[in-house]
Amino acid sequence: MAGASGTTSAATGATGSRRYPIRDQIAIVGVSSTAFSRDAGGRSPASLACEASIQAIHDAGMTKADIDGVVGVAEPGAPRANQMAALLELPNVTHHAGPQPVAMFGMIDAMTAIFSGQCDTVLVYYAFMRAPWNSRSAAQDPFRRYVMMGGGTAKPPMPESMDPSAAYTAWASRYIHEFGASREDFGRIALNMRANAMQNPKAVMRTPLTMEAYLQARMIRDPLCMLDMDVPVDGADAFVLTTTERAKRITKNPIVIHAATAGVVGRNDEDQLPSLARHGQHVVVESLRARGELWLDDVDVFFPYDGFSIITLGWIENVGYCKPGGAGRFMQEHWDEKTGRVLINGRVPMNPHGGSLSEGASRGTGHLREAVTQLRGDAGPRQVANARTALIGCGGFFFNSQGAILRRL
Amino acid sequence: MAEAVSDAALVERFPWVQISHDNKHLFRGWLDRQLLIQRCRDCKRFHHPPKPICPACWSGRLEPTAVSGRGVVHLAMFLRQGAPAPGVDYEKAPHPVVTVELEEQPGLRFTSTVVETPLDEIEIGLPVELVWIDRYGAPFPAFRPPGRAAKGGR
């Protein structure tokens, strides 16, 4: 294994050099998921969000009176935060907000609200529903007709619209052009996620996947095929956040947010991005390294977002596990034949829950939930031994790049 | 000529795109078969998609400026499914979508389709020029390799 000596020089040198008083001050004390499915049996996003939220509040050992902040990420069809306060009849809410997807926007809003004193304990929830535009079965459901992309007013796109989902394919073409990447390089992302999902009862895609099957999968937007794109699901995840100080009093194993960030470049219109060498992921990595004191040598479990396989290739390279264009080779060098997945330096798995490609499209909340589960030591048969630190690279290249370092105290 | 087209008439000519205060010049240009890209009168920078100010120097003195439409394919993909449009049949052939880096300024790009070209010739690095096709009865800017029309096309 060529990389056994460790990682590139980027592995060390996180500095915590920037003013960052919130470091380690906010903890995740409750977590829950409905599990994801291709069809939740006629349940609304509100119903799923309620189930996950109530379970997360119970998981934190709390009641409705403890929750004084509500953050509901504005996924299509999901209830707004004030509606969630009504659904649960929360009596003491002094902060509510609805940041845009993806996952970390909700976390960062909750963190800053708690740290600033707008509230003390926040319910953050995410609800996903298969939509008429991304699921054939959902298109048959008359109760889903109201769910419109982008909030309901936008015109239907034209074939040449460079919306984010198409743009990832377009930049994948550039990646192949610049680095001579093979389809197998992309395929290894899909295989890794599937092998991991097979160990996760909450995942929707749990049948074995071979490279041969990947290479034969239906092309959707050439050069990306169906297995390069995440799986639409019905489901919800919820989290309860509070101060680390309080978390230490109420739980034996608080998981703290060491650092969290979003990042965009100035030119983030999808087709105007400066290059594969300069986009949101680079800003996120620089920010995490300046705000956190932990980096790759400390990481026990790695969560690169995988809404599209090209995003994952980007995260592997941009956090510094290997050089630009080297992710395919890196995965080969760190491939664990026995389990059919990546184990970095024989130790660090990549999305042990199966990621968005195989657990289901959660826009990063699955990654966040699994990070908490692993750090608590609650991951059962897929538990990473003595996992203390998790690195999450959330979102993609354009408007939603985010990252976080979570750790067990 | 299209200067005379009222805002209301413009919106009616392009019922399939979202026309706004900030991008209306682009579509007025299409009616005249001109690709008008916003250019700053102060710092001379082009930008796209259209914004209400120059994002480089924050000047509000913008001028829709005709560009040559010549450039090089920077990104290229082939849709096997996607939004409907006349003349686009995903069952029959993948629909090419390219982002072209325009010759006027490094990093200034415009995304559209490629016509009159065998699919296997469409790749990153291919030089292209602008060609106007019809979509829903209005001109629509597309690309093709220079001189392609003379050889006949697909």
Side-chain angles (χ1 to χ4, degrees):
Chain A
M1 197 165 62
S5 59
T7 45
T8 66
S9 59
T12 53
T15 56
S17 60
R18 201 195 178 289
R19 187 187 71 85
Y20 195 57
I22 201 170
R23 184 187 308 134
D24 293 334
Q25 296 307 304
I26 306 299
I28 299 173
V29 293
V31 60
S32 182
S33 177
T34 58
F36 296 159
S37 77
R38 301 306 297 273
D39 185 351
R43 292 180 61 189
S44 67
S47 163
L48 295 162
C50 285
E51 177 187 325
S53 296
I54 291 167
Q55 285 174 359
I57 293 168
H58 287 163
D59 181 57
M62 293 181 177
T63 67
K64 59 169 73 174
D66 294 307
I67 304 297
D68 57 359
V70 184
V71 174
V73 168
E75 292 286 347
R80 294 193 304 274
N82 66 300
Q83 293 171 323
M84 180 55 80
L87 285 161
L88 303 181
E89 281 199 359
L90 301 174
N92 298 320
V93 172
T94 56
H95 175 82
H96 59 99
Q100 64 171 325
V102 295
M104 285 310 299
F105 286 127
M107 287 288 146
I108 292 170
D109 182 276
M111 288 167 64
T112 51
I114 295 165
F115 192 66
S116 65
Q118 297 302 129
C119 54
D120 292 327
T121 303
V122 179
L123 167 69
V124 186
Y125 64 91
Y126 309 81
F128 309 101
M129 81 186 295
R130 291 163 304 122
W133 71 83
N134 66 14
S135 158
R136 209 165 291 174
S137 58
Q140 308 296 318
D141 179 355
F143 296 139
R144 293 174 195 251
R145 280 181 203 151
Y146 73 95
V147 184
M148 299 295 288
M149 206 162 202
T153 57
K155 307 251 183 176
M158 49 179 171
E160 297 80 12
S161 299
M162 196 51 89
D163 62 74
S165 53
Y168 284 114
T169 308
W171 283 100
S173 78
R174 188 78 201 172
Y175 184 87
I176 293 165
H177 173 79
E178 288 186 13
F179 301 115
S182 68
R183 289 206 65 213
E184 284 81 355
D185 293 338
F186 290 77
R188 272 180 207 97
I189 298 286
L191 266 56
N192 172 80
M193 303 312 164
R194 186 63 62 86
N196 281 328
M198 288 167 64
Q199 304 301 319
N200 175 10
K202 289 186 170 170
V204 292
M205 305 297 278
R206 303 188 64 208
T207 53
L209 178 65
T210 63
M211 185 61 83
E212 193 181 15
Y214 170 84
L215 294 172
Q216 287 171 0
R218 187 159 58 93
M219 275 289 173
I220 304 290
R221 304 180 189 99
D222 191 342
L224 297 189
C225 72
M226 207 166 69
L227 297 173
D228 291 301
M229 304 175 180
D230 59 11
V231 186
V233 290
D234 291 346
D237 281 326
F239 302 83
V240 175
L241 277 63
T242 191
T243 62
T244 297
E245 189 189 356
R246 183 171 184 207
K248 284 178 184 164
R249 290 201 305 270
I250 62 173
T251 172
K252 286 196 290 287
N253 58 352
I255 306 306
V256 304
I257 301 168
H258 180 66
T261 193
V264 289
V265 292
R267 265 174 48 203
N268 62 63
D269 297 295
E270 283 77 2
D271 55 358
Q272 310 293 319
L273 208 63
S275 73
L276 286 170
R278 190 67 194 163
H279 54 64
Q281 290 183 347
H282 303 86
V283 181
V284 164
V285 168
E286 288 157 11
S287 171
L288 280 184
R289 295 187 67 189
R291 287 175 167 79
E293 294 171 333
L294 302 166
W295 200 239
L296 300 189
D297 284 347
D298 308 293
V299 169
D300 303 305
V301 54
F302 178 40
F303 292 95
Y305 180 63
D306 57 336
F308 292 90
S309 54
I310 180 67
I311 298 174
T312 319
L313 293 168
W315 277 121
I316 294 169
E317 296 166 9
N318 293 327
V319 300
Y321 274 123
C322 61
K323 293 195 307 280
R329 191 192 176 103
F330 178 84
M331 284 189 289
Q332 261 180 292
E333 289 171 355
H334 295 261
W335 194 259
D336 182 60
E337 292 294 344
K338 196 166 131 254
T339 54
R341 61 178 186 155
V342 171
L343 274 183
I344 299 166
N345 297 328
R347 189 177 72 84
V348 178
M350 206 167 78
N351 292 344
H353 61 308
S356 284
L357 287 177
S358 279
E359 188 196 54
S362 64
R363 282 170 286 280
T365 73
H367 303 66
L368 202 54
R369 180 221 321 128
E370 177 74 359
V372 175
T373 306
Q374 289 283 351
L375 296 175
R376 282 177 165 188
D378 288 345
R382 62 179 192 281
Q383 178 66 45
V384 176
N386 196 31
R388 300 195 65 86
T389 303
L391 173 61
I392 302 168
C394 195
F397 300 168
F398 314 121
F399 69 96
N400 62 11
S401 299
Q402 309 169 336
I405 301 165
L406 266 48
R407 72 183 185 103
R408 192 173 73 199
L409 275 186
Chain B
M1 179 187 80
E3 288 301 321
V5 176
S6 71
D7 289 351
L10 185 68
V11 168
E12 279 176 26
R13 283 300 300 275
F14 295 99
W16 44 281
V17 287
Q18 194 86 45
I19 300 188
S20 70
H21 297 99
D22 296 330
N23 69 12
K24 61 184 180 183
H25 69 278
L26 179 67
F27 298 99
R28 283 217 163 85
W30 288 15
L31 292 178
D32 287 339
R33 295 171 187 260
Q34 279 200 314
L35 186 57
L36 300 180
I37 302 291
Q38 287 289 40
R39 187 176 202 186
C40 178
R41 288 177 200 235
D42 290 321
C43 77
K44 308 298 180 197
R45 272 271 314 257
F46 288 94
H47 75 259
H48 186 75
K51 294 176 167 53
I53 59 165
C54 171
C57 76
W58 298 355
S59 166
R61 300 197 329 124
L62 301 175
E63 182 158 29
T65 303
V67 295
S68 68
R70 284 188 296 271
V72 173
V73 173
H74 193 79
L75 311 172
M77 62 180 159
F78 303 87
L79 308 185
R80 308 294 178 96
Q81 62 186 61
V88 178
D89 183 349
Y90 299 103
E91 300 291 314
K92 248 173 71 185
H95 182 63
V97 175
V98 297
T99 296
V100 171
E101 186 139 324
L102 300 172
E103 66 178 9
E104 278 77 8
Q105 181 177 294
L108 178 70
R109 306 188 194 114
F110 189 86
T111 297
S112 186
T113 188
V114 179
V115 295
E116 302 168 11
T117 312
L119 291 179
D120 60 5
E121 291 182 20
I122 300 170
E123 57 183 19
I124 291 173
L126 181 74
V128 290
E129 65 181 14
L130 196 62
V131 57
W132 292 91
I133 63 174
D134 178 276
R135 182 169 284 178
Y136 296 117
F140 180 81
F143 294 100
R144 69 181 175 200
R148 178 62 55 171
K151 294 184 207 160
R154 73 184 163 108

Short mmCIF file of all heavy atoms in Angstrom, two decimals, chain B residues 108-154:
data_model
loop_
_atom_site.label_atom_id
_atom_site.label_comp_id
_atom_site.label_asym_id
_atom_site.label_seq_id
_atom_site.Cartn_x
_atom_site.Cartn_y
_atom_site.Cartn_z
N LEU B 108 -14.88 33.57 -19.04
CA LEU B 108 -16.23 34.01 -19.42
C LEU B 108 -16.86 32.90 -20.25
O LEU B 108 -16.34 32.57 -21.32
CB LEU B 108 -16.16 35.31 -20.22
CG LEU B 108 -17.51 35.85 -20.71
CD1 LEU B 108 -18.36 36.35 -19.55
CD2 LEU B 108 -17.30 36.96 -21.75
N ARG B 109 -17.94 32.33 -19.74
CA ARG B 109 -18.47 31.13 -20.39
C ARG B 109 -19.96 31.25 -20.66
O ARG B 109 -20.68 31.93 -19.92
CB ARG B 109 -18.20 29.90 -19.50
CG ARG B 109 -16.73 29.75 -19.13
CD ARG B 109 -16.44 28.45 -18.44
NE ARG B 109 -15.11 28.51 -17.81
CZ ARG B 109 -14.89 28.48 -16.50
NH1 ARG B 109 -15.91 28.32 -15.65
NH2 ARG B 109 -13.67 28.57 -16.01
N PHE B 110 -20.39 30.53 -21.70
CA PHE B 110 -21.80 30.49 -22.06
C PHE B 110 -22.15 29.03 -22.35
O PHE B 110 -21.41 28.33 -23.03
CB PHE B 110 -22.08 31.38 -23.29
CG PHE B 110 -23.54 31.55 -23.57
CD1 PHE B 110 -24.27 32.55 -22.93
CD2 PHE B 110 -24.20 30.72 -24.47
CE1 PHE B 110 -25.62 32.72 -23.17
CE2 PHE B 110 -25.56 30.88 -24.71
CZ PHE B 110 -26.27 31.89 -24.07
N THR B 111 -23.29 28.61 -21.82
CA THR B 111 -23.69 27.21 -21.95
C THR B 111 -24.84 27.06 -22.93
O THR B 111 -25.83 27.79 -22.85
CB THR B 111 -24.10 26.65 -20.58
OG1 THR B 111 -22.97 26.67 -19.70
CG2 THR B 111 -24.61 25.22 -20.69
N SER B 112 -24.71 26.14 -23.86
CA SER B 112 -25.80 25.83 -24.79
C SER B 112 -25.55 24.44 -25.39
O SER B 112 -24.78 23.66 -24.85
CB SER B 112 -25.92 26.89 -25.88
OG SER B 112 -27.08 26.62 -26.65
N THR B 113 -26.17 24.19 -26.53
CA THR B 113 -25.98 22.89 -27.18
C THR B 113 -25.07 23.04 -28.40
O THR B 113 -24.68 24.15 -28.75
CB THR B 113 -27.34 22.27 -27.57
OG1 THR B 113 -27.14 20.93 -28.03
CG2 THR B 113 -28.03 23.09 -28.64
N VAL B 114 -24.73 21.92 -29.01
CA VAL B 114 -23.94 21.90 -30.24
C VAL B 114 -24.78 21.27 -31.32
O VAL B 114 -25.44 20.26 -31.09
CB VAL B 114 -22.64 21.09 -30.05
CG1 VAL B 114 -21.83 21.05 -31.35
CG2 VAL B 114 -21.80 21.67 -28.93
N VAL B 115 -24.77 21.88 -32.50
CA VAL B 115 -25.56 21.34 -33.62
C VAL B 115 -24.63 21.04 -34.80
O VAL B 115 -23.48 21.48 -34.83
CB VAL B 115 -26.68 22.32 -34.06
CG1 VAL B 115 -27.69 22.49 -32.94
CG2 VAL B 115 -26.11 23.66 -34.49
N GLU B 116 -25.17 20.31 -35.77
CA GLU B 116 -24.49 20.03 -37.05
C GLU B 116 -23.17 19.30 -36.84
O GLU B 116 -22.26 19.43 -37.65
CB GLU B 116 -24.23 21.34 -37.83
CG GLU B 116 -25.50 22.13 -38.11
CD GLU B 116 -25.22 23.54 -38.63
OE1 GLU B 116 -24.05 23.83 -38.96
OE2 GLU B 116 -26.16 24.33 -38.68
N THR B 117 -23.05 18.52 -35.77
CA THR B 117 -21.77 17.91 -35.44
C THR B 117 -21.98 16.49 -34.91
O THR B 117 -22.82 16.30 -34.02
CB THR B 117 -21.05 18.72 -34.33
OG1 THR B 117 -21.07 20.10 -34.68
CG2 THR B 117 -19.63 18.27 -34.14
N PRO B 118 -21.26 15.52 -35.47
CA PRO B 118 -21.37 14.16 -34.90
C PRO B 118 -20.98 14.19 -33.42
O PRO B 118 -20.03 14.88 -33.04
CB PRO B 118 -20.35 13.34 -35.71
CG PRO B 118 -20.10 14.14 -36.95
CD PRO B 118 -20.32 15.58 -36.59
N LEU B 119 -21.73 13.42 -32.61
CA LEU B 119 -21.52 13.47 -31.16
C LEU B 119 -20.08 13.14 -30.78
O LEU B 119 -19.54 13.72 -29.84
CB LEU B 119 -22.49 12.50 -30.46
CG LEU B 119 -23.97 12.90 -30.51
CD1 LEU B 119 -24.81 11.84 -29.81
CD2 LEU B 119 -24.20 14.27 -29.89
N ASP B 120 -19.46 12.22 -31.50
CA ASP B 120 -18.11 11.80 -31.08
C ASP B 120 -17.06 12.86 -31.40
O ASP B 120 -15.90 12.71 -31.02
CB ASP B 120 -17.74 10.43 -31.65
CG ASP B 120 -17.75 10.41 -33.18
OD1 ASP B 120 -17.94 11.49 -33.78
OD2 ASP B 120 -17.57 9.33 -33.76
N GLU B 121 -17.45 13.93 -32.08
CA GLU B 121 -16.50 15.03 -32.32
C GLU B 121 -16.61 16.12 -31.27
O GLU B 121 -15.80 17.05 -31.25
CB GLU B 121 -16.73 15.64 -33.72
CG GLU B 121 -16.33 14.70 -34.84
CD GLU B 121 -16.53 15.33 -36.22
OE1 GLU B 121 -16.62 16.58 -36.32
OE2 GLU B 121 -16.62 14.56 -37.19
N ILE B 122 -17.64 16.02 -30.44
CA ILE B 122 -17.86 17.07 -29.44
C ILE B 122 -17.05 16.72 -28.20
O ILE B 122 -17.34 15.73 -27.52
CB ILE B 122 -19.35 17.19 -29.10
CG1 ILE B 122 -20.15 17.54 -30.36
CG2 ILE B 122 -19.57 18.24 -28.01
CD1 ILE B 122 -21.65 17.44 -30.18
N GLU B 123 -16.02 17.52 -27.94
CA GLU B 123 -15.19 17.23 -26.77
C GLU B 123 -14.57 18.52 -26.26
O GLU B 123 -14.54 19.54 -26.97
CB GLU B 123 -14.10 16.22 -27.13
CG GLU B 123 -13.22 16.67 -28.27
CD GLU B 123 -12.19 15.62 -28.68
OE1 GLU B 123 -12.36 14.45 -28.35
OE2 GLU B 123 -11.21 16.02 -29.32
N ILE B 124 -14.08 18.45 -25.04
CA ILE B 124 -13.42 19.60 -24.44
C ILE B 124 -12.21 19.98 -25.29
O ILE B 124 -11.46 19.11 -25.72
CB ILE B 124 -13.02 19.27 -22.98
CG1 ILE B 124 -14.29 19.14 -22.12
CG2 ILE B 124 -12.09 20.34 -22.41
CD1 ILE B 124 -14.05 18.66 -20.71
N GLY B 125 -12.07 21.27 -25.54
CA GLY B 125 -10.97 21.76 -26.37
C GLY B 125 -11.39 22.07 -27.80
O GLY B 125 -10.64 22.70 -28.54
N LEU B 126 -12.60 21.62 -28.18
CA LEU B 126 -13.07 21.86 -29.55
C LEU B 126 -13.38 23.35 -29.76
O LEU B 126 -14.15 23.94 -29.01
CB LEU B 126 -14.35 21.04 -29.79
CG LEU B 126 -14.98 21.13 -31.18
CD1 LEU B 126 -14.16 20.35 -32.20
CD2 LEU B 126 -16.43 20.61 -31.15
N PRO B 127 -12.79 23.97 -30.78
CA PRO B 127 -13.16 25.37 -31.10
C PRO B 127 -14.56 25.40 -31.71
O PRO B 127 -14.91 24.51 -32.50
CB PRO B 127 -12.12 25.80 -32.15
CG PRO B 127 -11.08 24.72 -32.17
CD PRO B 127 -11.74 23.48 -31.69
N VAL B 128 -15.33 26.40 -31.34
CA VAL B 128 -16.70 26.50 -31.86
C VAL B 128 -17.03 27.95 -32.20
O VAL B 128 -16.35 28.88 -31.76
CB VAL B 128 -17.75 25.97 -30.85
CG1 VAL B 128 -17.66 24.46 -30.70
CG2 VAL B 128 -17.61 26.67 -29.50
N GLU B 129 -18.10 28.07 -32.98
CA GLU B 129 -18.64 29.39 -33.27
C GLU B 129 -20.14 29.36 -33.00
O GLU B 129 -20.74 28.29 -32.85
CB GLU B 129 -18.38 29.77 -34.74
CG GLU B 129 -19.10 28.85 -35.72
CD GLU B 129 -18.84 29.19 -37.18
OE1 GLU B 129 -17.90 29.96 -37.46
OE2 GLU B 129 -19.58 28.67 -38.04
N LEU B 130 -20.72 30.56 -32.97
CA LEU B 130 -22.13 30.68 -32.66
C LEU B 130 -22.98 30.39 -33.90
O LEU B 130 -22.60 30.74 -35.00
CB LEU B 130 -22.39 32.11 -32.18
CG LEU B 130 -23.68 32.41 -31.44
CD1 LEU B 130 -23.75 31.62 -30.14
CD2 LEU B 130 -23.73 33.92 -31.12
N VAL B 131 -24.12 29.72 -33.66
CA VAL B 131 -25.08 29.53 -34.74
C VAL B 131 -26.47 29.68 -34.12
O VAL B 131 -26.68 29.30 -32.97
CB VAL B 131 -24.88 28.16 -35.42
CG1 VAL B 131 -24.99 27.01 -34.41
CG2 VAL B 131 -25.89 27.95 -36.54
N TRP B 132 -27.37 30.30 -34.88
CA TRP B 132 -28.71 30.53 -34.31
C TRP B 132 -29.66 29.46 -34.82
O TRP B 132 -29.77 29.25 -36.02
CB TRP B 132 -29.21 31.93 -34.66
CG TRP B 132 -28.40 32.97 -33.95
CD1 TRP B 132 -27.27 33.59 -34.39
CD2 TRP B 132 -28.62 33.46 -32.62
NE1 TRP B 132 -26.77 34.44 -33.43
CE2 TRP B 132 -27.59 34.38 -32.32
CE3 TRP B 132 -29.58 33.21 -31.63
CZ2 TRP B 132 -27.50 35.05 -31.09
CZ3 TRP B 132 -29.49 33.88 -30.42
CH2 TRP B 132 -28.46 34.79 -30.16
N ILE B 133 -30.32 28.78 -33.89
CA ILE B 133 -31.34 27.81 -34.27
C ILE B 133 -32.69 28.32 -33.78
O ILE B 133 -32.76 29.35 -33.11
CB ILE B 133 -31.03 26.40 -33.70
CG1 ILE B 133 -31.05 26.42 -32.17
CG2 ILE B 133 -29.68 25.90 -34.21
CD1 ILE B 133 -30.89 25.04 -31.53
N ASP B 134 -33.74 27.60 -34.15
CA ASP B 134 -35.08 28.00 -33.73
C ASP B 134 -35.50 27.17 -32.54
O ASP B 134 -35.29 25.96 -32.51
CB ASP B 134 -36.06 27.79 -34.90
CG ASP B 134 -37.49 28.14 -34.50
OD1 ASP B 134 -38.18 27.27 -33.92
OD2 ASP B 134 -37.89 29.29 -34.76
N ARG B 135 -36.08 27.82 -31.54
CA ARG B 135 -36.71 27.06 -30.45
C ARG B 135 -38.02 27.74 -30.10
O ARG B 135 -38.03 28.91 -29.73
CB ARG B 135 -35.78 26.96 -29.25
CG ARG B 135 -36.43 26.13 -28.14
CD ARG B 135 -35.48 25.77 -27.03
NE ARG B 135 -34.56 24.69 -27.41
CZ ARG B 135 -33.60 24.24 -26.61
NH1 ARG B 135 -33.43 24.79 -25.42
NH2 ARG B 135 -32.82 23.26 -27.00
N TYR B 136 -39.08 26.99 -30.19
CA TYR B 136 -40.44 27.51 -29.95
C TYR B 136 -40.68 28.81 -30.75
O TYR B 136 -41.26 29.76 -30.25
CB TYR B 136 -40.67 27.78 -28.46
CG TYR B 136 -40.61 26.57 -27.56
CD1 TYR B 136 -39.63 26.48 -26.58
CD2 TYR B 136 -41.55 25.55 -27.66
CE1 TYR B 136 -39.58 25.37 -25.73
CE2 TYR B 136 -41.51 24.45 -26.81
CZ TYR B 136 -40.52 24.36 -25.85
OH TYR B 136 -40.47 23.28 -25.01
N GLY B 137 -40.16 28.87 -31.98
CA GLY B 137 -40.42 30.02 -32.84
C GLY B 137 -39.58 31.25 -32.53
O GLY B 137 -39.83 32.32 -33.09
N ALA B 138 -38.58 31.13 -31.67
CA ALA B 138 -37.69 32.27 -31.39
C ALA B 138 -36.25 31.84 -31.63
O ALA B 138 -35.92 30.65 -31.51
CB ALA B 138 -37.87 32.71 -29.93
N PRO B 139 -35.37 32.79 -31.98
CA PRO B 139 -33.97 32.42 -32.17
C PRO B 139 -33.35 31.94 -30.84
O PRO B 139 -33.68 32.46 -29.78
CB PRO B 139 -33.30 33.73 -32.63
CG PRO B 139 -34.41 34.58 -33.14
CD PRO B 139 -35.62 34.21 -32.30
N PHE B 140 -32.44 30.97 -30.96
CA PHE B 140 -31.79 30.37 -29.79
C PHE B 140 -30.32 30.16 -30.14
O PHE B 140 -30.00 29.57 -31.16
CB PHE B 140 -32.47 29.04 -29.46
CG PHE B 140 -31.90 28.33 -28.26
CD1 PHE B 140 -32.29 28.70 -26.97
CD2 PHE B 140 -31.00 27.29 -28.41
CE1 PHE B 140 -31.77 28.04 -25.87
CE2 PHE B 140 -30.48 26.62 -27.30
CZ PHE B 140 -30.87 27.01 -26.02
N PRO B 141 -29.41 30.65 -29.28
CA PRO B 141 -27.98 30.54 -29.61
C PRO B 141 -27.44 29.15 -29.32
O PRO B 141 -27.64 28.61 -28.23
CB PRO B 141 -27.33 31.57 -28.68
CG PRO B 141 -28.25 31.66 -27.50
CD PRO B 141 -29.64 31.36 -28.01
N ALA B 142 -26.76 28.57 -30.31
CA ALA B 142 -26.12 27.26 -30.15
C ALA B 142 -24.71 27.38 -30.72
O ALA B 142 -24.30 28.44 -31.19
CB ALA B 142 -26.93 26.19 -30.86
N PHE B 143 -23.99 26.28 -30.67
CA PHE B 143 -22.61 26.30 -31.16
C PHE B 143 -22.40 25.22 -32.21
O PHE B 143 -23.14 24.24 -32.29
CB PHE B 143 -21.63 26.07 -30.00
CG PHE B 143 -21.63 27.18 -28.98
CD1 PHE B 143 -22.33 27.06 -27.79
CD2 PHE B 143 -20.93 28.36 -29.23
CE1 PHE B 143 -22.33 28.09 -26.85
CE2 PHE B 143 -20.92 29.40 -28.30
CZ PHE B 143 -21.62 29.27 -27.11
N ARG B 144 -21.36 25.41 -33.02
CA ARG B 144 -20.90 24.38 -33.96
C ARG B 144 -19.43 24.66 -34.27
O ARG B 144 -18.98 25.81 -34.10
CB ARG B 144 -21.73 24.41 -35.25
CG ARG B 144 -21.46 25.65 -36.07
CD ARG B 144 -22.28 25.69 -37.35
NE ARG B 144 -22.05 26.97 -38.02
CZ ARG B 144 -22.86 27.48 -38.92
NH1 ARG B 144 -23.96 26.84 -39.26
NH2 ARG B 144 -22.58 28.63 -39.49
N PRO B 145 -18.70 23.66 -34.71
CA PRO B 145 -17.31 23.92 -35.10
C PRO B 145 -17.29 24.87 -36.29
O PRO B 145 -18.19 24.82 -37.13
CB PRO B 145 -16.77 22.54 -35.49
CG PRO B 145 -17.73 21.57 -34.89
CD PRO B 145 -19.05 22.25 -34.85
N PRO B 146 -16.29 25.76 -36.41
CA PRO B 146 -16.25 26.72 -37.51
C PRO B 146 -16.27 26.01 -38.87
O PRO B 146 -15.63 24.98 -39.04
CB PRO B 146 -14.92 27.45 -37.31
CG PRO B 146 -14.49 27.14 -35.93
CD PRO B 146 -15.13 25.86 -35.53
N GLY B 147 -17.05 26.57 -39.79
CA GLY B 147 -17.08 26.03 -41.15
C GLY B 147 -17.89 24.76 -41.29
O GLY B 147 -17.93 24.15 -42.34
N ARG B 148 -18.55 24.35 -40.21
CA ARG B 148 -19.27 23.09 -40.23
C ARG B 148 -20.42 23.09 -41.24
O ARG B 148 -20.67 22.09 -41.91
CB ARG B 148 -19.81 22.79 -38.82
CG ARG B 148 -20.62 21.54 -38.68
CD ARG B 148 -19.84 20.29 -39.00
NE ARG B 148 -18.62 20.18 -38.21
CZ ARG B 148 -17.86 19.08 -38.19
NH1 ARG B 148 -18.20 18.03 -38.91
NH2 ARG B 148 -16.76 19.05 -37.49
N ALA B 149 -21.10 24.24 -41.35
CA ALA B 149 -22.30 24.28 -42.18
C ALA B 149 -21.99 23.90 -43.62
O ALA B 149 -22.74 23.20 -44.28
CB ALA B 149 -22.93 25.66 -42.13
N ALA B 150 -20.81 24.35 -44.12
CA ALA B 150 -20.43 24.10 -45.50
C ALA B 150 -20.32 22.60 -45.79
O ALA B 150 -20.63 22.14 -46.87
CB ALA B 150 -19.10 24.78 -45.80
N LYS B 151 -19.88 21.83 -44.76
CA LYS B 151 -19.70 20.38 -44.96
C LYS B 151 -21.02 19.63 -44.80
O LYS B 151 -21.05 18.43 -44.98
CB LYS B 151 -18.72 19.84 -43.92
CG LYS B 151 -17.31 20.36 -44.08
CD LYS B 151 -16.40 19.67 -43.06
CE LYS B 151 -15.22 20.55 -42.70
NZ LYS B 151 -14.62 20.15 -41.42
N GLY B 152 -22.06 20.34 -44.40
CA GLY B 152 -23.31 19.64 -44.05
C GLY B 152 -23.17 19.07 -42.65
O GLY B 152 -22.08 19.04 -42.10
N GLY B 153 -24.27 18.69 -42.08
CA GLY B 153 -24.20 18.27 -40.68
C GLY B 153 -25.11 17.10 -40.40
O GLY B 153 -25.58 16.44 -41.32
N ARG B 154 -25.33 16.88 -39.12
CA ARG B 154 -26.15 15.73 -38.74
C ARG B 154 -27.62 16.03 -38.91
O ARG B 154 -28.02 17.18 -38.98
CB ARG B 154 -25.83 15.30 -37.30
CG ARG B 154 -26.36 16.23 -36.23
CD ARG B 154 -25.88 15.74 -34.87
NE ARG B 154 -26.00 16.81 -33.87
CZ ARG B 154 -26.91 16.81 -32.92
NH1 ARG B 154 -27.79 15.86 -32.83
NH2 ARG B 154 -26.96 17.77 -32.04
#
